[in-house]
Amino acid sequence: EGLMQNPLLDRHWLKRLVGMPSETALAASAMVLGGVFDRHPRLRVSFAHGGGAFAFIAGRLEHGYNCRPDLV
């Protein structure tokens, strides 16, 4: 069951306002922490929704990457 199937998002247009940007940020985060861009340095990717919430959590991801090598 994915984020968009969460019943908490059924009201207030939250699937569009919160769910879609969150899923975009999740995808971008998985690619960064999964080393996709390290393995494919010439890869160019465009994320929908302006990258979602990724720009707002990038610092948090960097901190996790530097402090928790087990996350990578």
Side-chain angles (χ1 to χ4, degrees), residues 16-72:
R16 304 286 189 288
L17 298 174
V18 175
M20 292 172 83
S22 296
E23 283 194 334
T24 302
L26 179 62
S29 300
M31 291 181 77
V32 169
L33 293 177
V36 172
F37 298 107
D38 291 333
R39 289 191 307 276
H40 306 281
R42 297 185 60 181
L43 178 67
R44 299 293 179 251
V45 178
S46 176
F47 293 103
H49 313 291
F54 184 76
F56 301 102
I57 63 169
R60 186 176 181 90
L61 290 171
E62 182 177 17
H63 179 73
Y65 179 86
N66 291 328
C67 294
R68 297 280 310 266
D70 58 307
L71 296 179
V72 182

